[in-house]
Amino acid sequence: MGKETLSINETRDMMLAVADKIIESEPILTDADRALGDGDHGVGMERGMNAVKEALANQEFPSVGKVFMGVGMAMMSSMGGASGAIFGTLFRSGGKALGDAETFDGAGVATFFKEGVEGVMKRGGAKPGDKTMVDALAPAADKAGEVADLPVCEALSAVADAAEAGKEASKDMIATMGRAKTLGENSRGKADAGACSVAIIVAAMRDFAA
Amino acid sequence: MGKETLSINETRDMMLAVADKIIESEPILTDADRALGDGDHGVGMERGMNAVKEALANQEFPSVGKVFMGVGMAMMSSMGGASGAIFGTLFRSGGKALGDAETFDGAGVATFFKEGVEGVMKRGGAKPGDKTMVDALAPAADKAGEVADLPVCEALSAVADAAEAGKEASKDMIATMGRAKTLGENSRGKADAGACSVAIIVAAMRDFAA
Amino acid sequence: MKKLINDPLKVADELVEGLVDAYNGECKFVGSRSIVKNDIPDNKVALLVGGGSGHEPIYHGLVGRNLADGAACGDIFAAPPPNIVFEATEAVDKGNGVLYLYGNYAGDVMNFDLGAELSEDEDIDVRTVLIWDDVCSAPPTEKDKRRGIAGLVPIVKLAGAASQTASTLDELEAAAKKAVLCTRSVGVSMSPGSIPATGKPTFDIDEDKIGLGMGIHGEPGVAEIPMTTADELTVQMLDLIVADFEKDEEVETLKEGDEILLFVNSLGATTMMELLIALRKAKAYWTEKGIKIYDVMVGPLVTCQEMSGISFSVTRMDDELKGYWEMPCQSVCFSKMEGRYGG
Amino acid sequence: MKKLINDPLKVADELVEGLVDAYNGECKFVGSRSIVKNDIPDNKVALLVGGGSGHEPIYHGLVGRNLADGAACGDIFAAPPPNIVFEATEAVDKGNGVLYLYGNYAGDVMNFDLGAELSEDEDIDVRTVLIWDDVCSAPPTEKDKRRGIAGLVPIVKLAGAASQTASTLDELEAAAKKAVLCTRSVGVSMSPGSIPATGKPTFDIDEDKIGLGMGIHGEPGVAEIPMTTADELTVQMLDLIVADFEKDEEVETLKEGDEILLFVNSLGATTMMELLIALRKAKAYWTEKGIKIYDVMVGPLVTCQEMSGISFSVTRMDDELKGYWEMPCQSVCFSKMEGRYGG
Ligand SMILES: Nc1ncnc2c1ncn2[C@@H]1O[C@H](COP(=O)(O)OP(=O)(O)O)[C@@H](O)[C@H]1O
Ligand SMILES: Nc1ncnc2c1ncn2[C@@H]1O[C@H](COP(=O)(O)OP(=O)(O)O)[C@@H](O)[C@H]1O
Ligand SMILES: [Mg+2]
Ligand SMILES: [Mg+2]
Ligand SMILES: [Mg+2]
Ligand SMILES: [Mg+2]
């Protein structure tokens, strides 16, 4: 039986599980970025998630939001580059919007992703269709809004499917942002590396809550 | 029938023939220097001999010595590097020693090579056996001393044989000067590039006087 | 590629440590990875530069006397994270505000903006001027899409001098904006550099091709052209600069009697020999147009590891900029005595 | 190797023309291939440098304010012919004699000596000081067999400053000799440069080897060692310098409290990143020995086209040399403001 809500410590442990999953997926992300970018997304995310583990392990947080904000800060300050700012902003904006809530529920999931994707789009200027992580994140946020009333386990499951579908859809897009825009028409056929990261992150959240 | 002596103009034309012969031999010299040195001896000598042609063609000279000094000056100033100084010195020292002689005879051949090799050894510090052009030049000078009483055609023929033998003997030597000293024992088996030039120069002198 | 390094994942940290050592007491290592001058006077309007590492001597090599007060240093080819920007900002701020002056790349803009937010939270006054000198990266109507390339060296030199006398952040901002507006660059590349962590080349290009207008990491330019002579390429590149001054409605066309500062940069593997040969043609090009070369900079200052390529940067000079230029300066990147060559 | 040139046989001429253009009126092209300052004062004791081209920015890039008065430039990697040496000598001579200061290579010595003979025929007083800083090219008892490598940059900087105040050729000769005696270098190479005329590499070395003590064209050094880390290599190289000061009976051993000028040079393709990483270790090395770094130079100043490699040069400073060092200077090769870093 999946979880109805997550406590602060469970949210923290979920993010530790996410970190492990991303670290484990480094080769997949490296390959994705090697195909379309400069090949450093895997090591970048790995470095970010190692910092996340250091920031979260055995720490107590006053709210769910602070957990996510800690994740964002750790990624932002350890990764640097565009993706440090982008993924850092996702977790910081999403976490900030959760206020001082002490549990993470379906409504929290909706708030987190809605504010997260807005922060990312404001920070980086990418719109859906530009073949970035926004193409996994925006559909995830939309779906999260629809399933805000469900238990967190079910909400995250629906959101993970949406992120995965968004990632898959990014394969057909032509890159217009970042390094991959060099490739133009040749960028078609492969998924965006950042979108892969989003799909992996949300899937790991789902698996934890399940 | 070979020539008893050479006039000033014949000496000049002989050196023009020498220049053509060296220019024609550029690939041989390049290969020799590529094997043991840095591969630029062929183009260097070619550049020097083109300058010689420019300096000598249609020019009148007051003495045989001035022809050789003109050759030396042209080589020295167009070639640069060690070999410009070495070959320039050969012709300048040899030519200077001829004073204001108006013919080039067997005695002149002896004087030219004796003073030429002395100038070269003084300038560059190489001794016979160091695997340099001195190893063709020194035996040539020795032989020239022995045949000073012969007609110029016969003297040059004997000197050319000595230079050729000296060049061949350089194959067995180990380089101790210049770039080839890098190779140590590996420099054995190939003739020194500058010695090849000396052999070609004296052979072309012989062919002209023959 | 044989690289003299220790740990490929620590090159950025170690090189900034080495840079601080090169300054031999004049600068200090700050926070996670910033370099900051020791003797910034109270109330000085501070100038902060920064960007990814791996392009040495820029950006951090531009810290120095009459130059930048500090630099926030990223990992190899990656923008510095916001906390590094913030740490550098705090260290250079002397109560009169900090100007951020850096190349217009998405990652840098995001991280410096985040760093600015952190700094403003601490009541530090921050202003940003972006460098977008690469005319091949977007048309003059879309300057916000242009990249910053080698023109950042003369721009930071000029702004560094301006920062010595500026009494407000507004003043320094105006001077830096002017230096940016007057500076245009065109670059080419012939072969890639490599990323120390992976040893992989940063892009591919055919053996007999030149990327005309290519950016300093291999970003695309205006065309791939066949390998050609130094003289022909120089003319093609300078024509693009002339055309940009012509098309851009914000600046006047370059015309007879104008004076320019000329900078010929190597991206790394291209030798000084090649730069000087190209410089010779550039001098003839400008002379023929009646445009006077006010002063010259030449050398490998904006690099991308062992990438080969060259860029020209042109800054149109006026009396204000000349005043800034003639100030002496000293850094690992660029030093000069007072005055100018031939002046 | 894609090279941006025009005619491979004219690179030396064209690059010296470009160098004169870089000086923008401060220097002129003289004779066949020399560069000479325009404003050498009457009666100045003149300083002339020179050597083969292709090592840019040296040797000719060392002409400038408070530096050399002129340079005689050879073809690529070849000594300048005597007439070029003579033309340069005539142009820099202001009636008080000319000091030749150049690297100890057989071809250079022969040609400069010939040039000196031509100059003396014209009643110009000429003196020669040879630079032989490469400790790996011969033992201290045979210094006349040692090559000149990167140490020539600090040596010419110091001699250039001395030439501003020297009233006789003797005085300048003494100062230059002292700078030479106090300067020792060790270089390594990891991959060759190429000759522009042929496109051929200047030497071969295994993919995983470093030539320890190799000269700047690939001349052999003390050993071929396996590729190693920057830190380990730095220690090995500096140990050789320390040992040389120890073994050489003409100089004192380097000891605690001594002050040194440290120069870290790249042979071309080795990046500033790598230089700075090595510099970081060098700083720790000297600090541990109690030897104080008086000032630092770093950059690709003595190169051999796209050759990769690094060298360290150390000059032991005393009050006289410090005085010369602190003078500002300006050239395409090396510029500085008055004073020193951290001073
Ligand atoms: N402006 C942006 N908005 C949203 N996502 C972005 C933006 N720029 C880059 N990204 C994401 O970052 C990913 C690349 O990350 P990474 O490789 O770590 O950084 P870099 O592009 O600096 O090498 C891309 O696949 C894309 O999803
Ligand atoms: N000191 C010397 N004395 C006599 N000959 C020398 C000396 N140094 C070099 N040479 C000659 O010069 C030749 C090389 O000439 P070249 O290739 O033109 O010059 P470089 O060695 O400068 O490349 C050698 O083969 C040798 O015969
Ligand atoms: Mg990437
Ligand atoms: Mg990247
Ligand atoms: Mg040779
Ligand atoms: Mg040679």
Side-chain angles (χ1 to χ4, degrees):
Chain A
M1 256 309 292
K3 303 221 163 60
E4 188 75 27
T5 64
L6 297 180
S7 69
I8 297 176
N9 280 351
E10 282 172 331
T11 305
R12 177 198 65 198
D13 294 343
M14 170 180 74
M15 288 316 299
L16 286 168
V18 165
D20 283 331
K21 189 74 197 169
I22 283 285
I23 292 167
E24 185 190 313
S25 310
E26 177 272 317
I28 299 170
L29 299 173
T30 295
D31 281 354
D33 195 37
R34 190 164 284 161
L36 293 178
D38 57 359
D40 61 359
H41 187 61
V43 276
M45 289 296 285
E46 183 179 13
R47 192 168 52 227
M49 288 300 176
N50 275 318
V52 165
K53 287 176 72 172
E54 217 167 283
L56 262 50
N58 309 318
Q59 290 294 312
E60 297 290 326
F61 292 86
S63 69
V64 164
K66 290 284 182 199
V67 173
F68 290 120
M69 287 175 77
V71 168
M73 206 52 186
M75 292 184 80
M76 208 176 251
S77 47
S78 63
M79 293 171 63
S83 54
I86 289 292
F87 283 87
T89 297
L90 162 60
F91 286 99
R92 277 170 54 91
S93 302
K96 200 168 180 183
L98 295 175
D100 44 19
E102 292 179 19
T103 54
F104 191 47
D105 57 13
V109 170
T111 305
F112 173 84
F113 280 102
K114 177 172 180 294
E115 298 298 326
V117 72
E118 270 182 21
V120 165
M121 287 169 64
K122 205 166 143 200
R123 179 64 62 200
K127 306 170 307 302
D130 285 341
K131 193 165 185 140
T132 69
M133 56 85 86
V134 169
D135 293 304
L137 192 59
D142 289 345
K143 176 60 69 184
E146 294 168 20
V147 298
D149 296 335
L150 299 185
V152 72
C153 60
E154 290 175 30
L156 283 173
S157 171
V159 172
D161 289 346
E164 177 69 21
K167 178 204 88 179
E168 285 298 315
S170 80
K171 287 185 180 169
D172 282 340
M173 299 173 183
I174 296 178
T176 59
M177 307 284 292
R179 289 286 169 73
K181 77 175 169 199
T182 315
L183 298 169
E185 194 51 50
N186 290 331
S187 63
R188 233 191 259 279
K190 292 145 200 152
D192 171 67
C196 295
S197 281
V198 170
I200 292 167
I201 289 167
V202 190
M205 290 168 83
R206 173 200 61 202
D207 292 348
F208 183 89
Chain B
M1 255 310 292
K3 303 220 163 61
E4 188 73 26
T5 63
L6 298 179
S7 68
I8 297 176
N9 281 351
E10 282 172 331
T11 306
R12 177 198 64 198
D13 293 344
M14 172 181 73
M15 289 315 300
L16 287 167
V18 165
D20 283 331
K21 190 71 198 176
I22 285 283
I23 292 167
E24 185 191 313
S25 310
E26 177 272 317
I28 299 170
L29 300 174
T30 296
D31 281 353
D33 195 36
R34 189 164 285 159
L36 293 178
D38 56 0
D40 60 359
H41 187 61
V43 277
M45 289 297 284
E46 184 179 14
R47 191 166 53 225
M49 287 301 176
N50 276 318
V52 165
K53 287 175 74 173
E54 218 168 279
L56 261 51
N58 309 317
Q59 290 294 313
E60 298 290 325
F61 291 86
S63 69
V64 165
K66 290 285 183 199
V67 173
F68 290 120
M69 288 175 76
V71 168
M73 206 54 187
M75 292 184 80
M76 205 175 254
S77 47
S78 63
M79 292 170 64
S83 55
I86 289 293
F87 282 87
T89 296
L90 162 60
F91 285 99
R92 276 171 55 91
S93 302
K96 199 167 181 187
L98 295 174
D100 44 19
E102 291 179 20
T103 55
F104 191 46
D105 57 13
V109 171
T111 304
F112 174 84
F113 281 102
K114 176 171 181 291
E115 299 297 326
V117 73
E118 271 181 19
V120 164
M121 288 169 62
K122 206 166 142 196
R123 179 63 62 201
K127 307 170 309 299
D130 284 342
K131 192 161 186 147
T132 69
M133 57 86 86
V134 169
D135 293 304
L137 192 59
D142 290 345
K143 178 56 73 181
E146 292 168 21
V147 298
D149 295 334
L150 298 184
V152 73
C153 59
E154 290 176 31
L156 284 173
S157 170
V159 173
D161 289 346
E164 177 69 21
K167 177 204 87 177
E168 286 297 315
S170 79
K171 288 186 179 168
D172 283 339
M173 299 172 182
I174 296 178
T176 60
M177 307 284 290
R179 291 286 168 73
K181 78 175 167 196
T182 315
L183 299 168
E185 193 53 49
N186 290 331
S187 63
R188 235 190 257 279
K190 292 146 200 151
D192 171 68
C196 294
S197 282
V198 170
I200 292 167
I201 288 168
V202 191
M205 291 169 81
R206 172 200 62 203
D207 292 347
F208 183 90
Chain C
M1 212 52 236
K2 290 182 196 164
K3 291 260 190 187
L4 264 187
I5 58 177
N6 296 305
D7 179 342
L9 294 176
K10 290 198 184 133
V11 287
D13 296 315
E14 292 191 354
L15 79 86
V16 177
E17 287 172 29
L19 184 65
V20 170
D21 288 336
Y23 281 103
N24 208 30
E26 188 138 329
C27 294
K28 59 182 177 233
F29 194 100
V30 162
S32 318
R33 203 196 295 119
S34 294
I35 173 168
V36 169
K37 281 174 67 182
N38 270 322
D39 63 346
I40 311 172
D42 274 352
N43 278 312
K44 179 179 185 299
V45 181
L47 181 65
L48 185 72
V49 299
S53 295
H55 301 291
E56 287 68 33
I58 66 144
Y59 306 88
H60 14 293
L62 276 162
V63 174
R65 299 185 188 171
N66 295 340
L67 289 164
D69 295 301
C73 313
D75 212 326
I76 300 297
F77 306 151
N83 53 310
I84 290 189
V85 173
F86 170 64
E87 289 155 1
T89 308
E90 251 197 329
V92 297
D93 177 52
K94 295 296 157 188
N96 212 349
V98 180
L99 184 74
Y100 291 175
L101 182 60
Y102 60 89
N104 186 27
Y105 291 90
D108 292 280
V109 173
M110 288 189 241
N111 283 284
F112 272 92
D113 280 357
L114 281 158
E117 289 167 21
L118 297 173
S119 305
E120 279 153 4
D121 286 353
E122 303 297 318
D123 292 321
I124 303 173
D125 203 0
V126 169
R127 210 73 58 80
T128 296
V129 172
L130 295 174
I131 295 172
W132 44 256
D133 56 307
D134 181 1
V135 308
C136 296
S137 46
T141 46
E142 296 180 90
K143 295 215 193 77
D144 58 322
K145 297 213 175 115
R146 285 190 171 175
R147 307 178 286 246
I149 58 170
L152 112 145
V153 183
I155 289 167
V156 172
K157 153 61 184 134
L158 295 166
S163 80
Q164 303 306 310
T165 50
S167 50
T168 63
L169 193 47
D170 281 338
E171 250 183 71
L172 178 55
E173 183 188 20
K177 276 195 166 152
K178 183 185 218 176
V180 170
L181 192 63
C182 294
T183 301
R184 310 289 159 119
S185 305
V186 167
V188 298
S189 180
M190 295 166 293
S191 64
S194 63
I195 300 174
T198 64
K200 298 255 158 41
T202 55
F203 61 92
D204 294 312
I205 183 164
D206 283 354
E207 244 322 297
D208 53 353
K209 287 276 164 59
I210 300 177
L212 180 63
M214 230 185 205
I216 63 173
H217 311 86
E219 302 93 334
V222 292
E224 271 202 1
I225 58 171
M227 188 65 201
T228 179
T229 63
D231 283 4
E232 271 178 33
L233 185 66
T234 298
V235 171
Q236 282 191 57
M237 292 170 74
L238 297 180
D239 278 348
L240 288 169
I241 292 182
V242 168
D244 195 64
F245 273 98
E246 221 166 83
K247 278 183 279 179
D248 185 356
E249 302 199 340
E250 275 193 89
V251 294
E252 274 183 60
T253 298
L254 276 176
K255 58 183 183 309
E256 212 179 311
D258 279 356
E259 293 184 69
I260 58 168
L261 173 65
L262 177 67
F263 173 28
V264 191
N265 177 63
S266 160
L267 282 160
T270 297
T271 60
M272 272 292 268
M273 173 185 86
E274 294 161 89
L275 298 189
L276 292 171
I277 290 173
L279 170 54
R280 176 189 126 277
K281 183 64 183 180
K283 171 75 178 256
Y285 178 96
W286 295 115
T287 304
E288 200 189 304
K289 287 201 158 26
I291 289 164
K292 201 181 143 201
I293 294 184
Y294 170 75
D295 209 351
V296 177
M297 306 173 65
V298 56
L301 303 186
V302 176
T303 70
C304 181
Q305 299 297 308
E306 63 286 339
M307 181 163 165
S308 82
I310 183 173
S311 66
F312 291 98
S313 301
V314 165
T315 306
R316 179 202 259 124
M317 302 299 278
D318 65 7
D319 286 342
E320 182 190 357
L321 296 182
K322 286 182 191 176
Y324 299 144
W325 179 259
E326 303 228 344
M327 232 186 240
C329 65
Q330 173 88 30
S331 75
V332 162
C333 186
F334 180 67
S335 303
K336 69 185 283 292
M337 285 173 65
E338 186 137 19
R340 63 187 173 101
Y341 283 133
Chain D
M1 213 51 235
K2 291 181 195 165
K3 290 261 189 186
L4 263 187
I5 57 176
N6 296 305
D7 179 341
L9 295 176
K10 290 199 185 132
V11 287
D13 295 315
E14 292 191 353
L15 79 86
V16 177
E17 286 172 30
L19 184 64
V20 171
D21 288 337
Y23 281 102
N24 209 28
E26 188 139 328
C27 293
K28 59 183 179 232
F29 195 100
V30 161
S32 316
R33 202 195 296 119
S34 295
I35 173 168
V36 169
K37 281 174 67 183
N38 271 322
D39 63 346
I40 310 171
D42 275 351
N43 278 312
K44 178 178 187 301
V45 181
L47 181 65
L48 185 73
V49 299
S53 296
H55 301 290
E56 288 69 30
I58 67 142
Y59 306 88
H60 14 294
L62 276 162
V63 175
R65 297 184 190 172
N66 295 341
L67 289 164
D69 295 301
C73 312
D75 211 325
I76 300 296
F77 306 150
N83 54 310
I84 289 187
V85 173
F86 169 65
E87 288 156 0
T89 308
E90 251 197 327
V92 297
D93 177 53
K94 296 294 160 189
N96 212 350
V98 180
L99 184 74
Y100 291 174
L101 183 60
Y102 59 89
N104 187 26
Y105 290 91
D108 292 279
V109 173
M110 288 189 241
N111 282 282
F112 272 92
D113 280 356
L114 282 159
E117 289 168 22
L118 297 173
S119 305
E120 279 154 5
D121 287 352
E122 303 296 319
D123 292 322
I124 303 174
D125 204 0
V126 170
R127 210 74 56 81
T128 297
V129 172
L130 295 175
I131 295 172
W132 44 256
D133 55 308
D134 181 1
V135 308
C136 296
S137 47
T141 47
E142 295 180 272
K143 295 214 195 76
D144 59 321
K145 296 212 176 115
R146 286 190 170 177
R147 306 177 288 242
I149 57 170
L152 111 145
V153 183
I155 290 167
V156 172
K157 154 61 184 136
L158 295 166
S163 80
Q164 302 306 310
T165 50
S167 50
T168 64
L169 193 46
D170 281 338
E171 250 183 73
L172 179 55
E173 184 188 19
K177 276 195 165 154
K178 182 185 217 177
V180 170
L181 193 65
C182 294
T183 302
R184 309 290 159 118
S185 305
V186 167
V188 299
S189 180
M190 295 166 294
S191 64
S194 64
I195 300 175
T198 64
K200 298 258 161 27
T202 57
F203 62 92
D204 295 312
I205 184 163
D206 283 355
E207 245 322 298
D208 54 353
K209 287 277 163 60
I210 300 179
L212 181 62
M214 232 188 204
I216 62 173
H217 312 85
E219 301 93 334
V222 292
E224 272 202 1
I225 58 171
M227 188 67 201
T228 179
T229 63
D231 284 3
E232 272 178 32
L233 185 65
T234 298
V235 171
Q236 282 192 54
M237 292 170 75
L238 297 180
D239 278 348
L240 289 169
I241 292 181
V242 168
D244 195 65
F245 274 97
E246 221 166 83
K247 278 183 279 177
D248 185 355
E249 303 198 340
E250 275 192 88
V251 294
E252 274 182 61
T253 299
L254 277 176
K255 59 183 182 309
E256 213 179 312
D258 279 356
E259 294 184 68
I260 59 169
L261 173 66
L262 177 67
F263 172 29
V264 191
N265 178 62
S266 160
L267 282 160
T270 297
T271 59
M272 272 292 268
M273 172 185 88
E274 294 159 271
L275 298 189
L276 292 170
I277 291 173
L279 171 54
R280 177 188 127 279
K281 182 65 184 177
K283 171 76 179 257
Y285 178 96
W286 293 115
T287 304
E288 200 190 304
K289 287 201 157 27
I291 289 164
K292 198 181 145 201
I293 293 183
Y294 170 75
D295 209 352
V296 176
M297 306 172 65
V298 56
L301 302 187
V302 175
T303 70
C304 182
Q305 299 296 308
E306 62 285 342
M307 181 163 164
S308 82
I310 184 172
S311 67
F312 291 99
S313 301
V314 164
T315 306
R316 178 202 258 124
M317 302 299 277
D318 65 7
D319 287 342
E320 182 190 357
L321 295 182
K322 285 183 191 176
Y324 299 144
W325 179 258
E326 303 230 342
M327 232 186 240
C329 66
Q330 173 89 30
S331 75
V332 163
C333 187
F334 180 67
S335 303
K336 70 185 283 292
M337 284 172 67
E338 187 137 15
R340 64 186 172 100
Y341 283 133

